[in-house]
Amino acid sequence: MTRGILIAAALMLAGVATAETVSELHENELNAIDKNNDGFLSRDEFNAFSDYAFQEMDEDKNGTLGLDEAKPFLDIKQFQNVDRNNDNSISRAEYDAQMSDDFNAADKNGNGQLD
Ligand SMILES: [Ca+2]
Ligand SMILES: [Ca+2]
Ligand SMILES: [Ca+2]
């Protein structure tokens, strides 16, 4: 799967950054993401994982990701890409917009599933 900025960050968070494809994920990791175990990541599954990753990264639970919270997962360039209005925090809307772009970029054949 082609990794977008936040997909890579979310996988890193989940400890699965080394797997290149969904099928390379270990069983436990895959179970956590691929809820119906069909070896593909549907948009619903992706959204659930994306939501989980946001909650995990948002340590102070204020609904936005500050630079400190994102730093373990994103470098400054990546952070600035996601922070579209340049206010030095990633809002949930900015996060979701980037995740959606990442999904579309990764879903090369446009079937709504990542493999
Ligand atoms: Ca699935
Ligand atoms: Ca926060
Ligand atoms: Ca922002």
Side-chain angles (χ1 to χ4, degrees):
M1 136 184 28
T2 305
R3 298 261 179 76
I5 299 169
L6 284 180
I7 291 179
L11 288 173
M12 197 186 300
L13 178 87
V16 295
T18 54
E20 287 294 324
T21 67
V22 172
S23 59
E24 279 179 33
L25 299 176
H26 295 300
E27 207 170 320
N28 288 345
E29 297 158 350
L30 193 59
N31 284 345
I33 305 171
D34 178 21
K35 298 282 184 205
N36 67 354
N37 294 316
D38 65 354
F40 297 96
L41 215 52
S42 68
R43 194 174 273 272
D44 281 351
E45 289 166 341
F46 181 80
N47 287 344
F49 176 58
S50 163
D51 186 54
Y52 158 80
F54 188 90
Q55 309 290 345
E56 287 295 304
M57 284 190 258
D58 183 18
E59 279 180 28
D60 64 5
K61 306 295 175 206
N62 70 346
T64 63
L65 303 180
L67 197 47
D68 283 352
E69 290 170 325
K71 207 162 39 184
F73 311 103
L74 299 173
D75 67 29
I76 184 70
K77 258 198 139 85
Q78 293 170 325
F79 183 88
Q80 287 167 343
N81 275 332
V82 183
D83 178 22
R84 295 176 187 204
N85 68 353
N86 299 313
D87 66 351
N88 285 322
S89 77
I90 296 175
S91 67
R92 187 61 204 252
E94 287 169 337
Y95 178 89
D96 285 342
Q98 183 63 46
M99 271 296 193
S100 183
D101 284 357
D102 282 5
F103 186 94
N104 291 332
D107 180 22
K108 285 206 196 86
N109 66 0
N111 69 348
Q113 305 243 69
L114 304 186
D115 53 26

